[in-house]
Amino acid sequence: MRQPATVETAFGHQARALLLQLDAACKAAEQLNEATDQAFVDHPDAAILTSFPGLGGLTAARVLAEIGDDRTRFADARALRAYAGSAPVTRTSGKSHIVMHRRVKTQRLAATGYLWTFAALTKSDAVRAHYDRRRHSGDRHAAALRNLFNRFLSQLHHCLANGQPYTEHKAFPPQGAPAAA
């Protein structure tokens, strides 16, 4: 299974060139990661965003980049949830009533929300309990994560509007306890 020496040498040069390109791309990605981290840490809302379970530096920076830092952009949490695509769409006509997930949305924010909520499952017992309740009530994995993302976005809107960090016992009160406003 050998090739002529000149062909093998050419393949070796090609492989080396591809490895050098891959190495350069990896270095550029690391530099971009460091620059993004530094720019995000300097932002006034960084502490609020990273107080949420599952939101690290890069994920929080992506969420901030997608929603922006203009507090008047979204009138309420409902508008933010619709923009992110986590709010369900209800179609009612005559005898039918259908609730389905939103297909028109900001794809980057929706993908980041999936990663955020998935990471939060291992960071918070209250988040995991909420996810498990949704799964036991019949939601599939993606629907339960969408519901969790929807809830996180409501909390995020509240926290950013009031300048408060995330508080788990307010966001996910124990079962049977009244929810705090």
Side-chain angles (χ1 to χ4, degrees):
M1 303 287 296
R2 304 238 2 151
Q3 298 289 332
T6 55
V7 173
E8 286 184 358
T9 303
F11 281 154
H13 289 299
Q14 181 186 22
R16 181 164 165 57
L18 290 173
L19 286 174
L20 290 172
Q21 288 177 357
L22 181 61
D23 189 43
C26 289
K27 286 180 184 175
E30 288 172 8
Q31 291 171 351
L32 181 61
N33 184 6
E34 290 171 10
T36 303
D37 263 346
Q38 186 57 45
F40 177 70
V41 168
D42 294 340
H43 195 277
D45 293 333
I48 295 171
L49 285 160
T50 55
S51 68
F52 280 80
L55 269 185
L58 283 178
T59 313
R62 173 55 71 117
V63 169
L64 181 63
E66 293 300 325
I67 66 172
D69 57 2
D70 178 15
R71 298 294 154 250
T72 61
R73 182 175 181 194
F74 302 106
D76 55 5
R78 183 183 216 176
L80 176 59
R81 292 190 314 253
Y83 176 75
S86 66
V89 175
T90 305
R91 303 217 191 264
T92 305
S93 130
K95 297 179 185 178
S96 67
H97 180 82
I98 299 170
V99 179
M100 53 193 191
H101 75 276
R102 190 175 298 269
R103 295 190 186 276
V104 178
K105 58 189 167 198
T106 306
Q107 293 296 335
R108 289 185 302 243
L109 185 55
T112 304
Y114 185 85
L115 295 173
W116 173 13
T117 55
F118 193 68
L121 292 177
T122 60
K123 304 291 183 199
S124 167
D125 292 334
V127 170
R128 183 63 194 210
H130 178 79
Y131 171 82
D132 289 340
R133 277 194 304 277
R134 295 298 301 193
R135 288 300 308 255
H136 291 306
S137 69
D139 282 356
R140 291 182 177 251
H141 173 71
L145 287 182
R146 230 180 358 262
N147 179 275
L148 191 56
F149 183 44
N150 200 18
R151 194 160 180 164
F152 272 150
L153 286 174
S154 295
Q155 291 298 318
L156 179 63
H157 185 272
H158 172 77
C159 290
L160 289 173
N162 297 316
Q164 304 173 346
Y166 168 82
T167 313
E168 186 168 292
H169 69 274
K170 288 182 181 178
F172 296 96
Q175 282 301 96

